[in-house]
Structure formats: structure tokens, C-alpha cells
Amino acid sequence: MAKEVAAVVSSMTDVYYDPYDVGINADPYPVYRRLREEAPLYYNDVHDFYAVSRYDDVERGLLDAQTYISGKGAIIEVIRADIQMPPGVLIFEDPPTHTIHRRLLSRAFTPRRVAELEPKIRELCVACLDPLVGADRFDFIADLGAQMPMRVIGMLLGIPEGDQESVRDHVDANLRTKEGEPMKVKENFITGEIFGDYIDWRAKHPSDDIMTELLNAEFEDETGTRRHLTRAELLTYLEVVAGAGNETTTRLIGWAGKVLGDHPDQRAHLVADPARIPNAIEELLRYEPPGPHVGRSIAHDDVVVHGQKVPAGGIMLFLIGSANRDDRRYPDGDRFDISREIGRHLTFGNGIHLCLGAALARLEGRVALEEVLKRFPTWQVDLDNARLSPTSTVRGWESLPTFIG
């Protein structure tokens, strides 16, 4: 029956979307537009997944955590691997466990705590950018995007500065794939073991950081037992936070360099009026989301989407990058406009899995752009030497060298 349904869905159009296709990934937006118009429910028979691309469908699906579950993963390869998730992988959990773990971790990302980070974030940006003043070029990724977010999340977690780069590289390696290839998923692909020694140190030397807070936190688990996090849970928490805190903000900074390089007139408006930068960050997040899609497993019953039945157990991909440019929601959605009245976009997800670090990412993006524009009001991207990241899980720049002035 599932094959028959897929055949019906696939026969409606010849449009082809493949998250592993390097050519599509370089500029997915023409394909997204065709999907929205010709195949609002799409089926890929090569990788056996369904996808929705319109804003209303993506928003509705992300809000429906009972039909579209996260407990099997949020990445196609992870869902298909059907592995037992270790406790603490917040983004791959369903209620009630997810509710308990999210409430516990949210203590570390309160508005007050995030706001207090601004002076340190600015200091880190200044340290990255001041040595480049007077140079004729700099790289948005190597010189800033791969540095500042790593330092911020390392500081939050309580990782010694000298170890932050190696921790970042270890965590980021889990998100890397070869060009055009799916992620290779192992049973223990998230263990957090790299944080073991730091946990032991922090247990004896507490500080004002997330690691210390989680070590000491007491909570009531899904069985009604009052307890602390186990070592395995804590290790997993730390790896998840470290990965989320590094990768997406790095990509946001890269997209700021690329998109504003492509729109020098709008960049000039930001130089003249820095008060417009917060809205520009929202438009950047809408226009080029670092996480272009998120997957869910269809829980217990078949669902009907756009008049077609999709079988229980199937994989649904929510195309956030497409939804964010849907003209039904954002008039002329493929146009970048720092003056746009954006309202809600879906870059940070929606519903119970709305990104806990959204406020921190916005703050880092704003401060980074403010400090870049103070020093370098004009630049031109060196596209001959720029490289997109070779991964299907996030979309952004591995390297973005620019000519200054």
C-alpha cells in the first residue's frame, strides 16, 4: 500500500528534490519553489521520504508532536537506523521525557543569563576582528564564525579555553558527511565521552556554568523518582548543547557575510543605521536558515496530507528553507529585504522543540554584525575560494574569504 501511495504522489510532477545532491544544495530555492507549487506533498523514491514545503504545512507539522514524533531522530539517516537514543538527546526526544529534560536545560538559557553574555560576546568579537583592521581580506568563517560561537559555548559549558577548539572539532565531526552522501549513523554516535574529564573536574571545582548547574540539578523523572542526572545523561546533554551552540551560529555569521556582500545597498543602510541590525538578523535567518530541513517519523496512524495518505512509520521532511520563502506567507519571499516585517519564521523550529538557544544565536549574530560593520563597512566575497559545507544536516559556508574595502 505504501508503494502505491508513493507512486501516486510521485507521478504528479517531474520535480526532483534530494537533500544529498550537491548541485541542488548549492541553490535549493528554485527546486523549493517548484515543490511548493507542483508537489506540496512530495515523495522521494530514492531515499524513501516524504516532504512538505509550504509554510502552513511545515508550521502545522512542527506543532503536531503527537503525529510527527522526534524520538527516532530528526535526520533521515538517524530515523532509518532505528537505534535506541541515549537519554539526554533533547532534540531526539518525545514527551514526557522531552518535557522533563527541556525544563531542566532551560534553566541555563534564561533571558537574564543570555543578556548578561553580551559584553563577553562583544569582547570576543573585538579580539577576532581588531587584528584584521588594515588587512585587505578576511574570512567570515575562519576569522570569526568558527571562533566566537565556540568561545561562547565553551564559556557557558565550562570548557577551558585551551580545549575549546578540539571540543568544537570533535562535536562538529558528527554533523559532517562526504559530499553527496548520507550520514553514517552508528549505535553510539552520540556519547559525550569527550566531556568526561571536564565533568570530573567540575564536580570537584564548581563554577557558574552549565556543567556545574546540571551536575547539581535535582528533578523528578518520568517515573516520579527524584534524582540527579546520570553521568550518561549529562555527557549527552553537553554534546548536544555544544553541537547546537557552535554549528548554526557559525553558519548564520557566514550567511551574513555572503548575503550582505550580495546586497551592498542594504549593507550601507545598516552601516548608516545600526538600529536596523536586529531586524536584518531576523531577515537573514528567514532568508538563509542554517538548518534547511528537519525530519520526523510518522507515529502510529496513516496521515492525509494534501489529499494523499502517508503511511505510519514513514519519514516526513519539513523543508524549513522552503517554508521561510513561501510567497503565501512572505510576499516576494525570494527577495532579501532588511526592512521586511517578518513576524514568525521557522528557522528555530516551532512547538515543543523550539530551539532553546534561539535568543543566544540572535544575540551572537547581532553583536558579530555590529562589530564587523564598524570596522569593515564594505566587502566583496571571493567566490572563487569560498566553499559550502559538505553536509546535508546544515547548510552554510565552510570558508567565506572576502576582499575588504
Side-chain angles (χ1 to χ4, degrees):
M1 179 61 183
K3 293 292 184 183
E4 293 175 6
V5 172
V8 171
V9 174
S10 300
S11 67
M12 295 177 180
T13 177
D14 64 352
V15 64
Y16 180 73
Y17 170 70
D18 183 340
Y20 310 112
D21 187 298
V22 175
I24 293 174
N25 189 52
D27 181 12
Y29 298 105
V31 175
Y32 287 163
R33 177 169 289 278
R34 287 193 63 194
L35 288 173
R36 292 194 300 270
E37 302 309 318
E38 301 172 32
L41 173 66
Y42 172 76
Y43 176 72
N44 180 294
D45 59 356
V46 176
H47 302 293
D48 189 24
F49 68 85
Y50 295 83
V52 289
S53 49
R54 294 179 180 174
Y55 185 97
D56 286 348
D57 294 327
V58 174
E59 180 183 49
R60 187 182 305 115
L62 293 176
L63 286 170
D64 188 354
Q66 292 185 321
T67 300
Y68 302 104
I69 61 173
S70 301
K72 291 182 176 293
I75 301 168
I76 293 174
E77 302 93 308
V78 177
I79 297 172
R80 184 161 294 115
D82 195 25
I83 61 178
Q84 183 66 40
M85 292 293 167
V89 188
L90 195 66
I91 55 177
F92 296 164
E93 290 182 332
D94 298 311
T97 307
H98 171 267
T99 307
I100 294 165
H101 285 165
R102 183 182 176 90
R103 187 181 300 124
L104 191 61
L105 192 57
S106 66
R107 302 176 191 176
F109 292 96
T110 62
R112 177 191 61 80
R113 192 165 198 164
V114 170
E116 288 174 350
L117 291 170
E118 180 166 347
K120 184 62 177 179
I121 292 171
R122 198 171 298 278
E123 179 184 321
L124 291 169
C125 288
V126 169
C128 289
L129 296 172
D130 270 359
L132 302 171
V133 173
D136 59 359
R137 58 189 293 140
F138 86 102
D139 191 313
F140 269 86
I141 303 301
D143 295 322
L144 181 59
Q147 299 300 321
M148 182 270 287
M150 168 191 70
R151 303 297 180 196
V152 172
I153 205 67
M155 175 183 64
L156 275 173
L157 291 178
I159 304 298
E161 188 171 340
D163 296 346
Q164 289 170 1
E165 191 165 340
S166 62
V167 169
R168 177 202 64 198
D169 292 345
H170 167 83
V171 174
D172 285 357
N174 277 346
L175 297 172
R176 291 291 182 269
T177 61
K178 292 183 179 179
E179 288 192 6
E181 292 185 14
M183 174 189 292
K184 291 179 172 60
V185 180
K186 300 177 182 178
E187 182 73 30
N188 59 345
F189 79 109
I190 295 179
T191 66
E193 282 300 333
I194 191 172
F195 297 101
D197 289 343
Y198 304 123
I199 289 175
D200 295 338
W201 169 260
R202 276 288 169 244
K204 298 175 182 177
H205 305 85
S207 183
D208 181 22
D209 54 48
I210 292 176
M211 196 179 304
T212 301
E213 186 156 338
L214 292 177
L215 272 165
N216 295 321
E218 282 192 34
F219 67 103
E220 187 175 293
D221 68 16
E222 62 275 18
T223 70
T225 304
R226 190 80 183 167
R227 65 180 180 87
H228 294 281
L229 288 168
T230 66
R231 182 181 178 84
E233 286 172 327
L234 183 52
L235 288 170
T236 306
Y237 258 59
L238 294 173
E239 181 151 344
V240 169
V241 172
N246 274 316
E247 186 74 19
T248 53
T249 309
T250 297
R251 303 304 158 214
L252 168 60
I253 291 170
W255 282 119
K258 174 62 169 62
V259 175
L260 290 173
D262 291 342
H263 297 83
D265 54 334
Q266 298 197 55
R267 181 180 61 201
H269 287 312
L270 297 178
V271 173
D273 185 6
R276 303 176 73 175
I277 289 176
N279 199 68
I281 292 296
E282 292 305 308
E283 177 68 345
L284 282 163
L285 287 164
R286 179 199 71 85
Y287 189 75
E288 289 287 9
H293 53 255
V294 63
R296 296 283 190 266
S297 177
I298 299 170
H300 309 296
D301 300 305
D302 298 347
V303 295
V304 176
V305 181
H306 287 282
Q308 300 294 331
K309 188 178 292 185
V310 182
I315 297 172
M316 182 65 80
L317 208 60
F318 295 107
L319 302 181
I320 290 168
S322 174
N324 276 353
R325 294 207 187 186
D326 188 349
D327 296 332
R328 297 164 185 82
R329 176 75 180 195
Y330 306 103
D332 197 7
D334 283 328
R335 177 173 56 87
F336 178 74
D337 181 3
I338 60 170
S339 299
R340 185 187 295 274
E341 294 184 9
I342 299 162
R344 179 189 293 275
H345 56 68
L346 298 175
T347 296
F348 293 118
N350 207 349
I352 66 170
H353 285 283
L354 184 69
C355 177
L356 273 174
L360 178 59
R362 287 181 166 109
L363 175 60
E364 290 179 291
R366 172 176 64 79
V367 173
L369 189 51
E370 287 171 353
E371 295 301 326
V372 167
L373 291 172
K374 283 178 186 176
R375 293 162 179 79
F376 314 120
T378 61
W379 65 80
Q380 181 179 349
V381 175
D382 178 9
L383 281 176
D384 290 338
N385 292 296
R387 296 192 314 276
L388 275 171
S389 177
T391 172
S392 64
T393 53
V394 293
R395 182 172 175 269
W397 296 94
E398 192 83 4
S399 173
L400 195 77
T402 60
F403 300 106
I404 303 171

